[in-house]
Amino acid sequence: SATFDYTSSLCAFLCVSCVLSIGLFAEKRNVLKKTSYFVIFCLNLICLILTMSFSAWLAVLICPFLFVILKSKKIPVISIFFVFALLHLIFLIPSSVMEPIFRTVGFSEGFSETILGLKNATDAFVSNIWFGKALLPSSEITLEGANLALGIGAELGIFALIIILAIIILRFIHLGAFRKYYNGSNVEMSVKITAFALIAQMILGVGEYIFADLPIFYLFVSVFGVCTS
């Protein structure tokens, strides 16, 4: 992760890269191109796993199930957000249960450290709940250990958090309403790839504040823009 300021930034980049490469693999018909994209996907996936980030592993495990939701016409797309919300319940599991698992796997950060970081981020959010700490002239509050929702809330306040979440939710509602029209069209794969790239970053955001690194924020906005257009 030498070219990134944070491990979470590397994970976010690799998540998008994995989704794009496997999407292009599925789209292409040329054997050489398919092989090339599959090799790129495997290398990105190996790098993602080797980050030893709990959130990255969570994204690898959960994203295939969410892709089934995205692809299916019978399951509402909005159910993706229920899964996203339910994933936060992992942090309510007692440390006595999760800590041995984290140690056995060898994650870069222990479960207790993760919970402590989330508690500190929650305190920062509550202390600046209306407008966030970003509008304060100076602040000693740290967001180290925050996840995506707490990080946005602590920096910009609850109103900004609600607006950002509403924009993303509305985008996926729109996607669910119109997927029957784009099915089989030339833009079908592009829509699914970019939407899935957003989902992968959001799952990563369950345990990481990926927007702490500005380039990753730009990456998220770019993918969202392509998905929307």
Side-chain angles (χ1 to χ4, degrees):
S1 61
T3 54
F4 294 87
D5 292 333
Y6 308 95
T7 302
S8 58
S9 302
L10 172 63
C11 292
F13 172 80
L14 290 173
C15 278
V16 174
S17 186
C18 280
V19 172
L20 295 181
S21 55
I22 197 64
L24 290 169
F25 164 77
E27 185 181 39
K28 300 299 180 181
R29 296 291 178 264
N30 183 281
V31 176
L32 180 60
K33 289 183 178 180
K34 286 181 76 73
T35 303
S36 300
Y37 285 124
F38 184 72
V39 170
I40 293 172
F41 165 74
C42 290
L43 291 174
N44 283 320
L45 183 61
I46 291 171
C47 290
L48 187 61
I49 293 173
L50 290 178
T51 60
M52 301 309 295
S53 166
F54 169 69
S55 300
W57 282 43
L58 193 65
V60 171
L61 293 173
I62 299 298
C63 279
F65 297 101
L66 296 185
F67 184 73
V68 172
I69 295 176
L70 186 64
K71 191 174 179 61
S72 173
K73 290 186 177 182
K74 297 181 180 179
I75 306 175
V77 174
I78 196 64
S79 59
I80 289 173
F81 288 91
F82 290 106
V83 176
F84 175 71
L86 287 173
L87 287 175
H88 289 78
L89 297 179
I90 293 174
F91 302 114
L92 298 180
I93 300 175
S95 297
S96 58
V97 175
M98 295 298 292
E99 195 67 48
I101 298 175
F102 271 57
R103 289 178 182 174
T104 302
V105 175
F107 288 127
S108 57
E109 190 173 72
F111 186 73
S112 299
E113 296 175 74
T114 302
I115 296 300
L116 180 60
L118 291 173
K119 286 182 177 179
N120 292 335
T122 301
D123 291 339
F125 180 26
V126 173
S127 300
N128 306 277
I129 191 168
W130 300 116
F131 301 106
K133 79 183 196 72
L135 297 181
L136 299 178
S138 62
S139 176
E140 296 180 356
I141 296 174
T142 175
L143 293 179
E144 185 177 354
N147 64 8
L148 184 57
L150 288 174
I152 294 173
E155 282 203 314
L156 301 177
I158 191 169
F159 296 119
L161 175 61
I162 292 173
I163 291 172
I164 292 172
L165 289 177
I167 290 173
I168 297 174
I169 290 173
L170 286 173
R171 175 65 195 101
F172 277 89
I173 291 175
H174 175 268
L175 176 64
F178 286 90
R179 61 181 166 180
K180 62 181 179 180
Y181 297 109
Y182 70 66
N183 189 39
S185 69
N186 292 330
V187 300
E188 177 186 6
M189 184 57 68
S190 297
V191 172
K192 288 181 178 178
I193 290 174
T194 51
F196 194 49
L198 286 177
I199 293 169
Q201 291 185 81
M202 289 176 62
I203 297 300
L204 183 64
V206 170
E208 302 278 359
Y209 183 31
I210 57 175
F211 288 176
D213 195 11
L214 196 57
I216 300 303
F217 172 75
Y218 292 149
L219 175 64
F220 185 91
V221 172
S222 299
V223 173
F224 185 89
V226 172
C227 179
T228 303
S229 63

